[in-house]
Amino acid sequence: MRVALFITCYNDTLFPQTGIATVRLLERLGHTVEFPEDQTCCGQMHSNTGYGDEAIPLIRRFVKSFRDAEVIVSPSSSCVSNIRTAWLRTLADTGDEALKRDVAEIVPRVFELSQFLVDKLGIDDVGAYYPRRVTYHPTCNSLRALKVGDAPMRLLAKVRGLDLVELPDARECCGFGGTFAVKNEDTSVAMLSDKMRSVLGTRAEICTALDSSCLMHIGGGLHRLRSGVRTVHLAEILASTEKDFIHGERR
């Protein structure tokens, strides 16, 4: 299948390894990955902070960049949920009927990575190997907005060598929420403390999720505690094979 990668601003700027892993995984599964180089942000920050009109040029650019894509895959439940749930609402009062039609046509072709693998392709074993004790944090957008269900857990359960441990109070948010962490610092810190306590209680080596933004928030807290627990995006785990490890250690 011809797959167009929507990398998102966060991954492109701060976590390029997530995009590289996504390409590596999809190509290993036999797909042709294309990367429209004129792509940019999904406009989530604008929509979330009440500046929806500022997101319209970004929506228009996305449609132009991905109009001809067979399917569009992104390693971000946050951005995919924004595309699916906010874009048509943002455009409701614009009067630009052509853009509304274009968005309505393209949205069903946009998938978060785990949903693409499990729900679209019917695959839950991607041939990955990852010899680590791992816990999974279902981010707010993946859980409540995008409703990815058990797709990530089904994928993780089939990774050879991986010891998957359940995260207590998994449905609780990590406290990031983009500008929420800035505008509500005390609440955000309290929520992060609860999440870190849950992660540490699992004795996992790795905490994974579908959103690098939340993993950055959790990972920063864990790093300040010098806990030794790392955060790794799901795409990186699924892209790993035995060739990436020597005697259990990452090359």
Side-chain angles (χ1 to χ4, degrees):
M1 183 179 292
R2 188 166 58 91
V3 178
L5 173 65
F6 177 47
I7 186 59
T8 78
C9 297
Y10 236 98
N11 288 320
D12 188 38
T13 306
L14 300 174
F15 303 98
Q17 68 271 21
T18 301
I20 293 170
T22 303
V23 173
R24 185 181 170 198
L25 170 63
L26 292 172
E27 289 184 341
R28 191 175 77 215
L29 294 174
H31 302 289
T32 299
V33 181
E34 300 173 346
F35 184 78
E37 294 189 3
D38 55 347
Q39 63 179 277
T40 183
C41 301
C42 70
Q44 182 184 182
M45 183 177 294
H46 308 78
S47 300
N48 288 351
T49 52
Y51 292 89
D53 289 347
E54 304 298 326
I56 293 175
L58 303 176
I59 297 172
R60 197 182 306 280
R61 184 163 175 170
F62 183 97
V63 170
K64 181 182 178 183
S65 300
F66 290 96
R67 185 188 303 278
D68 297 328
E70 184 175 356
V71 293
I72 303 144
V73 173
S74 177
S76 169
S77 72
S78 177
C79 284
V80 173
S81 66
N82 182 61
I83 291 170
R84 289 190 183 175
T85 64
W87 276 14
L88 285 176
R89 187 174 66 243
T90 299
L91 297 172
D93 299 326
T94 61
D96 191 335
E97 299 303 323
L99 183 56
K100 292 178 189 177
R101 286 195 298 272
D102 286 343
V103 168
E105 192 277 330
I106 204 170
V107 163
R109 291 187 274 131
V110 182
F111 294 89
E112 181 278 325
L113 177 62
S114 70
Q115 284 188 320
F116 176 69
L117 295 171
V118 176
D119 299 337
K120 176 69 174 177
L121 301 181
I123 297 174
D124 56 15
D125 187 346
V126 297
Y129 173 79
Y130 198 80
R132 294 288 184 271
R133 186 177 173 89
V134 175
T135 194
Y136 169 70
H137 165 59
T139 62
C140 293
N141 276 294
S142 67
L143 187 69
R144 297 177 176 82
L146 200 54
K147 303 184 188 306
V148 298
D150 64 353
M153 294 293 279
R154 288 174 59 183
L155 290 162
L156 287 168
K158 294 292 180 66
V159 176
R160 297 192 310 283
L162 188 147
D163 180 11
L164 181 60
V165 289
E166 186 175 351
L167 181 68
D169 300 318
R171 296 177 64 88
E172 299 297 326
C173 296
C174 70
F176 180 61
T179 55
F180 176 86
V182 178
K183 295 178 179 176
N184 304 277
E185 180 182 354
D186 292 344
T187 304
S188 174
V189 169
M191 296 171 73
L192 175 62
S193 297
D194 290 343
K195 183 59 64 177
M196 289 193 296
R197 189 178 304 112
S198 295
V199 171
L200 294 175
T202 66
R203 294 185 295 110
E205 302 168 80
I206 304 291
C207 176
T208 191
L210 306 181
D211 288 286
S212 290
S213 52
C214 294
L215 289 175
M216 180 185 69
H217 188 58
I218 298 170
L222 293 170
H223 179 71
R224 283 192 292 275
L225 292 178
R226 298 183 180 181
S227 66
V229 181
R230 296 186 297 117
T231 53
V232 176
H233 193 283
L234 179 72
E236 295 176 66
I237 293 176
L238 298 181
S240 296
T241 66
E242 293 187 36
K243 293 180 180 179
D244 298 315
F245 294 87
I246 298 179
H247 305 305
E249 295 301 321
R250 187 98 185 177
R251 288 187 178 185

